[in-house]
Amino acid sequence: RIYYEEHGTGEPLLLAYGIGGNAGMWQPNVAALAARHRVILWEPRGHARSEAPADPTRVTFGHWVLDLHDLLDHLALERPAVGGLSLGAGIATRFVLKHPDRARALIIVDSSSAAGLPLSVDNVVMRARSIQVVLEGGMDAMADFAIASNPNVSGRLKLDPKAREEVFAMYRMLKPIGYANALRALLQMDYITERLPEIAAPTLLICGDEDPSVGPMRVIAEKIKHAEFVLLSPAGHFGNRDQPAAFNRAVLDFMARLSD
């Protein structure tokens, strides 16, 4: 069971949020994007309102790509634009590599997993510790740990201290086993960096200037030669929330050029 919601009409655009996120994390963007497009927000398995299998072998990038493919078939969409933020973009990028005929365009936002580079040692340690924290302490303990240890989350609070409640609400929508298995999938992701030049679909890259993934995002820009790169400032890993107006404008301008 995969949760999705639809907003607006027009050329379709499917988006998934980052690891631990949910469709509500696009709230600052929905009205603007849905004014011109059929916006479909979905939650990958293990997240929020989608099914969270207890078996970790059923939560992998391969399963997430299959879920996106099945969602397109369910909605009878031939070639929509697909994308997402962070993990969501990592899924969309792998989907485009596996099914190049099913994507009209690709939107990658604040994503290291879309670059497919090996995680840093510090990131591996933080993610592995997160699995232990969430399984032993639950979601509130995970939120506290993320605020203290995850630069993506601490960067959001640096730009907007009021976002603390947003962080807790995000984690409270998750099941501990779902989040733990999503983290396991991230730690075992495939390294797709050298395959990125295969992507022929029009590609938009959006990244916050203070996001730890800005380096990997620039690698993507080097590999996908035709990709457009938009840098948001000041913005961190949650660029769509840090700079919603600039984010919305970048996506709408890109989508409009597809129709030219």
Side-chain angles (χ1 to χ4, degrees):
R1 299 188 306 278
I2 299 299
Y3 175 86
Y4 72 93
E5 59 189 52
E6 298 192 55
H7 305 267
T9 58
E11 288 294 328
L13 168 61
L14 280 83
L15 297 171
Y17 214 71
I19 192 165
N22 57 77
M25 299 300 287
W26 298 108
Q27 182 273 329
N29 320 112
V30 170
L33 300 184
R36 299 189 201 172
H37 297 282
R38 180 185 177 190
V39 179
I40 299 151
L41 309 175
W42 71 287
E43 296 171 351
R45 68 173 69 190
H47 287 78
R49 289 156 288 194
S50 287
E51 187 173 353
D55 180 357
T57 66
R58 294 181 58 210
V59 185
T60 66
F61 272 98
H63 287 94
W64 286 326
V65 167
L66 185 61
D67 289 341
L68 179 52
H69 183 274
D70 287 349
L71 180 56
L72 262 62
D73 286 351
H74 173 74
L75 296 169
L77 295 173
E78 283 300 319
R79 292 182 69 245
V82 298
L85 182 142
S86 197
L87 177 73
I91 297 168
T93 301
R94 287 165 175 80
F95 175 83
V96 172
L97 285 170
K98 188 171 181 61
H99 304 285
D101 59 325
R102 295 299 301 273
R104 184 181 184 215
L106 173 63
I107 299 176
I108 299 173
V109 186
D110 293 308
S111 183
S112 295
S113 61
L117 296 165
L119 298 174
S120 70
V121 173
D122 287 345
N123 200 317
V124 169
V125 171
M126 183 266 290
R127 298 298 189 184
R129 176 76 176 120
S130 295
I131 295 171
Q132 183 179 23
V133 168
V134 73
L135 291 179
E136 293 181 355
M139 298 319 309
D140 278 9
M142 184 59 231
D144 280 326
F145 180 73
I147 289 169
S149 306
N150 187 332
N152 296 337
V153 177
S154 60
R156 170 80 178 125
L157 295 181
K158 175 188 168 189
L159 290 167
D160 182 5
K162 299 190 297 295
R164 182 180 174 86
E165 284 308 309
E166 166 192 305
V167 171
F168 273 85
M170 180 182 83
Y171 282 109
R172 284 170 179 164
M173 284 191 71
L174 302 169
K175 299 178 181 67
I177 191 62
Y179 186 59
N181 286 340
L183 289 167
R184 289 179 174 125
L186 187 65
L187 288 170
Q188 298 177 66
M189 71 175 173
D190 47 334
Y191 303 139
I192 59 171
T193 317
E194 297 311 313
R195 292 196 60 202
L196 294 176
E198 298 174 24
I199 295 175
T203 302
L204 173 65
L205 310 177
I206 306 176
C207 192
D209 62 341
E210 299 179 21
D211 181 12
S213 72
V214 69
M217 288 288 288
R218 293 202 182 280
V219 170
I220 299 172
E222 293 171 5
K223 296 292 184 180
I224 306 177
K225 299 295 186 185
H226 60 274
E228 303 175 33
F229 193 107
V230 175
L231 194 65
L232 305 179
S233 180
H237 193 63
F238 297 76
N240 72 301
R241 300 183 70 82
D242 294 332
Q243 294 292 338
F247 173 89
N248 296 342
R249 186 166 56 250
V251 173
L252 288 171
D253 287 351
F254 172 72
M255 293 292 290
R257 287 192 293 275
L258 295 179
S259 302
D260 289 345

